[in-house]
Amino acid sequence: MAGVKQITVLGATGSIGQSSLALVRQHSERFAIHGLVAGKDFNRLAALAHEFKPKIIGIHDQTSLPALKELVSTLDCQLVAGEVACSEIAAMPVDRVIAGISGLAGLPSVMAAVSAGQTVAIANKESLVSAGAVVTREAILSGAHILPIDSEHNAVFQCWNGWKGHQSTDKTNGKMTELSHICLTASGGPFLTLPIGEFAAITPATAVRHPNWVMGHKISVDSATMMNKGLEVIEARWLFDLKPSQIDVLIHPEQAVHGLVYFCDGSIIAQMGVADMRTPISYAMAWPDRLDWKPEPLDLAAIANLTFTQVNPDRFPCFTLARHALVAGGIAPAVLNAANEVAVEAFLAGKIGFLDIVRIVDSCLSKDLVGDLTTIEAVCAIDQTAREHARKIVASR
Ligand code: MG
């Protein structure tokens, strides 16, 4: 099977996992599946195992194990359950690990893959937001490559060749000085023009209806509050080793330009494409090559006008909170992420209103929680403390 890249997909039944597997399905001459990991959707995982014939599959939810075993009994495929066993799959040597689990639940497996020196195509931004210092330090020690799947970061990755060399102990290799700053674009989500007075009445059903991208529920709500872009600014800080002041954001509702890199000589290089996650995923999978997956072409004449505006902090206070958390540093981004995950889950469950999301995150950030970020265990401890505080506020609503 020389020339065929072996792939492990973490979060195989989620949105990123499905898009990745669609590319593998389309290009079986280039990719083969080594391992698949899912959270609790054992029916879907079993179906994927029958289709892609992985060597090993893992399910986080241990209670699903007997049912899953039954469904894949005719396959020559190893089967494991639980977080520890699933992280072991992430550490098994392959050409690409696709980290597609949403939320901090993805951190142990991301860390396992990074520690093993793998090339990790990462969509799990929460790992970098909460544990960016630990994950990137570990990557330098192990020689792991972290390739961004998040479309804006993938755009910067495509535009900035010098970045490729920077993930080494010798930072002078990385041409860091050629860069002035970067810009991540934002669609503005479904409520870009909704009168601010109507925000209190926003329901989960309207919040998950994103105008450009088809995504999971958590990230769709994060896009509606623009917390997603705030998390992405923090993600960019760690991925590209930049100062907060070097990371700009512009609202660009047409979503044709995904990211821009401003160089020291006045040149700006931008990446454009249709809003389809398969473009950034395919680049992270095929890098340093490109995959001809027959995407829909971007019709610039049909779009006609491209617009760019600054983020309005009154409309998107979550974005401002995230920026403040990045500048504050320390545990603030981990607290921000934990509080946001709890708040978004409560909002999707109908327990709190849309505007409560920012109130809960703000309250947790001003709580003066203490902790350190030297190890994954320490990150998880501060994450848990922040979650408990956020859950108390949810329960009091
Ligand atoms: Mg993104």
Side-chain angles (χ1 to χ4, degrees):
M1 297 268 278
V4 175
K5 279 198 171 95
Q6 295 291 320
I7 310 266
T8 287
V9 184
L10 313 173
T13 58
S15 177
I16 294 292
Q18 298 284 352
S19 294
S20 307
L21 290 168
L23 292 166
V24 174
R25 183 178 293 123
Q26 197 182 339
H27 288 277
S28 54
E29 81 289 358
R30 299 278 304 267
F31 306 110
I33 294 296
H34 174 84
L36 294 174
V37 172
K40 49 182 184 278
D41 188 354
F42 62 87
N43 279 308
R44 181 82 198 135
L45 179 61
L48 293 173
H50 278 274
E51 179 182 359
F52 290 99
K53 309 278 188 292
K55 303 214 170 29
I56 185 163
I57 60 174
I59 188 123
H60 271 245
D61 174 21
Q62 307 233 22
T63 62
S64 306
L65 187 61
L68 181 61
K69 204 175 258 177
E70 185 75 27
L71 290 170
V72 298
S73 61
T74 57
L75 294 178
D76 179 20
C77 170
Q78 200 187 330
L79 175 56
V80 299
E83 186 182 285
V84 173
C86 287
S87 292
E88 284 166 7
I89 296 181
M92 292 174 175
V94 285
D95 298 293
R96 270 321 170 267
V97 175
I98 297 179
I101 296 171
S102 167
L104 202 70
L107 177 59
S109 52
V110 164
M111 197 61 187
V114 168
S115 299
Q118 307 250 47
T119 300
V120 185
I122 191 165
N124 180 251
K125 67 188 73 177
E126 293 88 348
S127 287
L128 288 170
V129 169
S130 295
V134 190
V135 172
T136 52
R137 188 189 61 209
E138 189 70 18
I140 289 170
L141 290 174
S142 70
H145 284 279
I146 301 176
L147 311 181
I149 282 182
D150 208 346
S151 56
E152 300 78 1
H153 307 71
N154 189 271
V156 170
F157 172 38
Q158 295 196 36
C159 295
W160 185 17
N161 267 317
W163 174 67
K164 285 175 205 158
H166 116 268
Q167 282 188 331
S168 69
T169 44
D170 180 10
K171 296 217 168 190
T172 55
N173 273 340
K175 296 189 180 176
M176 292 296 283
T177 53
E178 71 182 22
L179 179 123
S180 164
H181 61 285
I182 65 169
C183 177
L184 314 175
T185 65
S187 69
F191 310 125
L192 183 58
T193 56
L194 186 77
I196 293 178
E198 293 176 27
F199 271 45
I202 290 170
T203 63
T206 52
V208 299
R209 215 176 295 141
H210 195 276
N212 308 94
W213 299 88
V214 180
M215 306 183 292
H217 280 179
K218 198 266 176 179
I219 189 172
S220 294
V221 175
D222 284 345
S223 294
T225 61
M226 266 192 82
M227 178 61 90
N228 181 54
K229 209 53 55 179
L231 297 176
E232 288 183 355
V233 169
I234 303 172
E235 180 187 11
R237 180 261 173 273
W238 292 111
L239 271 172
F240 304 118
D241 197 18
L242 299 173
K243 299 187 196 84
S245 59
Q246 286 179 294
I247 308 161
D248 267 357
V249 168
L250 286 172
I251 292 186
H252 169 49
E254 297 82 12
Q255 286 289 282
V257 177
H258 305 297
L260 308 93
V261 178
Y262 295 68
F263 293 93
C264 58
D265 61 356
S267 293
I268 303 164
I269 300 183
Q271 186 262 354
M272 304 175 78
V274 290
D276 188 321
M277 283 309 294
R278 284 173 293 179
T279 292
I281 292 171
S282 70
Y283 189 71
M285 280 170 66
W287 178 80
D289 304 325
R290 287 185 185 272
L291 190 67
D292 179 14
W293 64 275
K294 309 284 183 267
E296 182 195 328
L298 178 69
D299 187 346
L300 283 173
I303 300 172
N305 293 303
L306 300 181
T307 56
F308 299 89
T309 53
Q310 296 285 354
V311 180
N312 174 353
D314 296 329
R315 180 172 289 278
F316 299 113
C318 280
F319 177 74
T320 309
L321 281 184
R323 271 230 179 257
H324 287 167
L326 174 59
V327 172
I331 63 167
V335 171
L336 171 98
N337 180 63
N340 183 60
E341 282 195 30
V342 170
V344 169
E345 198 181 306
F347 170 70
L348 284 169
K351 292 178 187 163
I352 60 168
F354 187 76
L355 293 177
D356 289 327
I357 297 173
V358 69
R359 291 185 193 123
I360 288 170
V361 176
D362 195 18
S363 165
C364 289
L365 280 172
S366 53
K367 187 75 182 159
D368 278 336
L369 301 172
V370 288
D372 73 84
L373 295 171
T374 47
T375 62
I376 287 302
E377 292 71 27
V379 173
C380 291
I382 191 65
D383 175 83
Q384 282 309 320
T385 307
R387 275 170 207 264
E388 277 160 30
H389 184 66
R391 284 196 195 103
K392 270 185 210 150
I393 308 174
V394 168
S396 71
R397 296 271 150 181

